[in-house]
């Protein structure tokens, strides 16, 4: 019998939440998805790091407020020590500081606990594929926060950005997720992801939050 290919094997997911009443049902529900294998459930950041070290892990579904080692610091350490592991935040907190801190630490997605099972599964799949997913409330708050802050002078957009890459950056600055950008441009999500990867590499953009800031600074959003 042949080994499963990288694309056909289930995504290996760690669920992190300090409340067993949240953690255990969430792990059970996610495990119902055919392409998700919940390999560990952790009550704090140290449990997450232990699971990542034991690996392999594709995605961590991360609560922010945990004892011993919280979600922000755990995300930062995962980014440094296990950059292949994507983090999707799932939390009750959607305040400006939490959102910016999580994204700056390296989180690839940010959902509130109002998100439904399908939203969470979709975010896990997107994060594993290298995409960012922010729920609408988080997008709106991120945009409002960035726009309210004075724009510091920073690096200009490189001259070799293609018109399509500038268009994609404009739409990111407006808060659109990859799927909405694809629909607006009449292209596939894979094509949007390629444009974003090229854009980030050319412009030295770190993450989705940084892209929003750069779009606003450039007058594109």
């Amino acid at each position: 019998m042949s080994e499963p290919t990288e694309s056909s094997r289930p995504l290996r997911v760690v669920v992190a939440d300090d409340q067993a009443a949240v953690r255990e049902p969430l792990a059970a529900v996610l495990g119902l998805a055919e392409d998700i294998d919940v390999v560990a459930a952790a009550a704090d950041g140290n449990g997450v790091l232990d699971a990542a070290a034991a690996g392999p892990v594709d995605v961590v579904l991360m609560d922010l407020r945990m004892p011993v080692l919280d979600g922000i610091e755990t995300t930062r350490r995962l980014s440094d020590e296990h950059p292949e592991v994507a983090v999707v935040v799932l939390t009750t907190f959607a305040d400006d500081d939490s959102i910016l801190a999580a994204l700056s630490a390296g989180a690839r997605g940010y959902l509130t606990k109002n998100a439904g099972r399908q939203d969470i599964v979709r975010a896990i799949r997107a994060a594993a594929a290298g995409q960012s997913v922010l729920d609408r409330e988080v997008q709106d708050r991120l945009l409002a926060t960035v726009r309210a802050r004075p724009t510091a002078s920073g690096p200009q957009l490189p001259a070799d950005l293609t018109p399509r890459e500038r268009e994609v950056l404009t739409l990111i600055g407006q808060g659109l997720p990859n799927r909405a950008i694809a629909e607006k441009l009449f292209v596939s999500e894979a094509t949007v992801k390629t444009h974003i990867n090229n854009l980030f590499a050319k412009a030295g953009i770190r993450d989705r939050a940084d892209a929003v800031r750069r779009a606003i600074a450039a007058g594109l959003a």
Side-chain angles (χ1 to χ4, degrees), residues 124-138:
I124 289 172
R125 291 169 179 159
Q131 301 172 15
S132 296
V133 176
L134 308 176
D135 73 17
R136 175 55 59 184
E137 179 185 358
V138 170

Side-chain angles (χ1 to χ4, degrees), residues 8 28 41 49 66 76 84 104 106 118 135 152 156-158 175 179:
S8 65
L49 296 175
M66 296 185 293
R76 188 174 292 112
E84 74 283 0
S104 296
Q118 288 304 317
D135 73 17
Q156 299 297 310
L157 294 178
R179 175 174 294 185

Side-chain angles (χ1 to χ4, degrees), residues 45-57 60 69 72-87 105-106:
N46 284 335
V48 172
L49 296 175
D50 288 345
V57 172
V60 175
L69 191 65
I72 299 295
E73 182 58 28
T74 305
T75 299
R76 188 174 292 112
R77 288 181 57 177
L78 281 174
S79 296
D80 291 340
E81 300 169 17
H82 302 282
E84 74 283 0
V85 178
V87 172

Side-chain angles (χ1 to χ4, degrees), residues 15 20 22-33 36 38 40-41 117 121:
V15 174
V22 174
R23 181 177 67 247
E24 294 172 3
L26 183 56
V29 167
L30 291 178
L32 297 176
I36 290 179
V38 178
R117 173 182 173 273
V121 169

Side-chain angles (χ1 to χ4, degrees), residues 143-150:
L143 286 170
T145 299
V146 173
R147 286 180 173 139
R149 293 184 176 182

Side-chain angles (χ1 to χ4, degrees), residues 132-144 147 168-181 208 211-213 215-216 220-221:
S132 296
V133 176
L134 308 176
D135 73 17
R136 175 55 59 184
E137 179 185 358
V138 170
Q139 288 178 16
D140 291 345
R141 290 190 68 92
L142 178 60
L143 286 170
R147 286 180 173 139
V168 168
L169 180 58
T170 299
L171 296 174
I172 291 174
Q174 294 172 1
L176 272 62
N178 288 1
R179 175 174 294 185
I181 293 174
R208 200 88 172 188
V212 172
R213 286 189 285 267
I216 293 171
L220 298 178

